[in-house]
Amino acid sequence: MLLLLSSLLTPMVFAQLRPTGGRDTSFTIQKSFLQEKKQYPVITLADTTLPEGVTVDRNIPFSTPYPGRDLLLDVYTPSASAQKLRPAILMIHGGGWRSGDRSQSNALAGQLAARGFVTVPVEYRLSTEALYPAAVFDVKAAIRWLRANARGYGIDPDQIAALGFSAGGQLAALVGSTNGKKQFEGKRGQAGTSSAVQAIVDIDGILAFIHPESGEGDDSRRTSAATYWFGYSKAERPDLWQQASALTHAGKNTPPILFLNSSVARMHAGRDDLIATLNNQGVYSEVHTFPDAPHTFLFFNPWFGPTVTYIHDFLNRVFEYQK
C-alpha cells in the first residue's frame, strides 16, 4: 500500500523519442499528384519553369546549427528594372515536420517573384534530425538572415512575410504569432537582428494541436508526425503541444494573416478561434477556402493560379496599408 501511494505521488517521467536520422522521402509532390489524380482526374502539376526576368541564387547558407551542418535557402529575385525596395516572402515547406524539402516551393516562389516579391524557400531541420523547437529556431534564424541581407537583394526589411504549407503553415503562423518572444529565437545566426514578420500566409497549416478540431497526435495505429516532432505524445507533454500552437500566442502583436484552406477541416484546426482573437485585437485576416480541394491543392491546377492571386492581393493590401 505504501509503495502504491509513493508511486502515485511521484511525478511520471516519460522517455523522449529520439531523431531517427536519415531522410524521410514519404512526401513528394509527384507522389501526391499520382494519389490525388485518382479522385481529381483533371488536375495537372503547376509549372515550375522559371518566369522570364526572375533570377535565382541557390544554396545560400544562413545558419550552422552544429559544425558541418549548414542550413540553406534560395533567393528568387524579380526583374532588376524595379528601383524601389520590394517585400520579401520566406517560404516554409510542408511534410509533417519530417519529410519534404524547400524545392517544393519552387513553382510558387517563381510566380510570386514574377509579381514583384523577393521569395525565399528555406530549409529547416526535420524531426529525423532534431526535435521541436529546432525547426522554429531555424526559421527565425532565416528571417534574421534575410533582414540582415535585405539591402543586397533589394528587400524592404520592414515588409517580410512568412508563408508555409501544411507543417510549414503551422510554422509560419507560430513564428509570426511569437514575434518578439525570446524563448523562440534560438542562438544561431545574426544575433541582434529582429526575426519579426509583418504578415503570415498559412496554407492549410494547423493553428492548435490540442483542440476539438485537431486530428494530430493519434498514435493508436502508428506514431503520429507531431509525436515524432515533439518527441512526446500529446498525453505525455501537453505543455509542448500547446506551446507550439499559434492560437496560444495570438494577440495584438500578431501580424495580419491570410488563411488558404482545402476542404480538409482538420488541417486548419483552431483557425476560427484564432480569427476571433485577432478580431478582438483589431488584427486583419482573410480566409479563402477551395471547396472539395485536397490538402495538397497548391501544387496543382486548377487551384495553383488562384492561390498565387490570393497571396499577391493580400500581401499588396497589407504592405501598402503598413507604409
Side-chain angles (χ1 to χ4, degrees):
M1 180 66 179
L2 289 176
L3 180 60
L4 175 61
L5 180 60
S6 174
S7 66
L8 291 174
L9 294 176
T10 302
M12 296 184 69
V13 178
F14 299 102
Q16 186 182 41
L17 297 176
R18 299 297 182 187
T20 56
R23 290 198 63 84
D24 182 334
T25 60
S26 59
F27 175 64
T28 70
I29 295 175
Q30 185 63 31
K31 286 181 182 178
S32 180
F33 175 67
L34 294 176
Q35 178 64 35
E36 299 301 345
K37 200 167 178 63
K38 298 173 185 177
Q39 183 175 351
Y40 306 93
V42 300
I43 65 173
T44 58
L45 286 165
D47 188 1
T48 58
T49 303
L50 193 66
E52 185 176 355
V54 175
T55 58
V56 189
D57 290 341
R58 299 193 186 278
N59 301 319
I60 303 170
F62 69 87
S63 179
T64 304
Y66 50 86
R69 176 63 166 108
D70 288 337
L71 294 171
L72 308 176
L73 54 76
D74 308 318
V75 180
Y76 287 67
T77 308
S79 170
S81 60
Q83 297 299 313
K84 65 178 182 179
L85 297 177
R86 311 174 183 91
I89 308 172
L90 190 84
M91 311 185 80
I92 312 164
H93 70 82
W97 308 277
R98 187 171 182 82
S99 188
D101 63 78
R102 72 184 190 279
S103 70
Q104 293 167 354
S105 299
N106 287 356
L108 193 59
Q111 290 302 316
L112 288 171
R115 296 192 179 208
F117 300 96
V118 177
T119 55
V120 185
V122 65
E123 176 184 25
Y124 58 93
R125 285 172 290 171
L126 301 172
S127 64
T128 55
E129 181 178 2
L131 306 183
Y132 170 86
V136 184
F137 294 162
D138 294 343
V139 174
K140 295 265 190 180
I143 297 166
R144 291 195 296 272
W145 182 94
L146 189 57
R147 181 163 279 115
N149 292 275
R151 300 293 175 176
Y153 290 98
I155 295 169
D156 184 338
D158 296 322
Q159 294 192 334
I160 296 176
L163 175 153
F165 159 68
S166 193
Q170 178 272 328
L171 284 166
L174 181 61
V175 300
S177 63
T178 56
N179 277 346
K181 293 192 174 185
K182 292 184 179 180
Q183 73 185 95
F184 293 92
E185 291 294 328
K187 299 179 180 179
R188 300 294 177 186
Q190 311 296 332
T193 302
S194 172
S195 66
V197 296
Q198 288 70 53
I200 299 167
V201 178
D202 179 358
I203 306 174
D204 242 16
I206 189 171
L207 287 310
F209 285 100
I210 301 179
H211 193 277
E213 300 166 353
S214 175
E216 293 292 344
D218 181 0
D219 300 324
S220 58
R221 290 184 296 175
R222 58 181 178 272
T223 304
S224 70
T227 298
Y228 272 125
W229 190 43
F230 291 114
Y232 297 97
S233 71
K234 187 185 297 187
E236 291 170 332
R237 290 293 307 272
D239 58 315
L240 288 181
W241 292 61
Q242 291 280 26
Q243 184 188 79
S245 300
L247 180 60
T248 300
H249 308 280
K252 64 180 181 180
N253 294 324
T254 304
I257 305 182
L258 169 63
F259 300 97
L260 296 176
N261 294 131
S262 69
S263 59
V264 187
R266 65 183 178 84
M267 294 301 181
H268 54 260
R271 181 198 66 193
D272 293 347
D273 288 342
L274 190 144
I275 290 173
T277 298
L278 298 182
N279 288 343
N280 288 336
Q281 297 293 335
V283 177
Y284 180 72
S285 65
E286 280 184 26
V287 179
H288 298 283
T289 300
F290 294 100
D292 195 39
H295 176 50
T296 51
F297 66 90
L298 82 155
F299 301 118
F300 313 130
N301 301 309
W303 305 289
F304 179 75
T307 295
V308 173
T309 299
Y310 282 137
I311 296 168
H312 169 266
D313 292 351
F314 168 79
L315 291 179
N316 277 351
R317 183 179 301 113
V318 167
F319 288 146
E320 183 62 32
Y321 177 80
Q322 290 176 350
K323 286 182 180 178

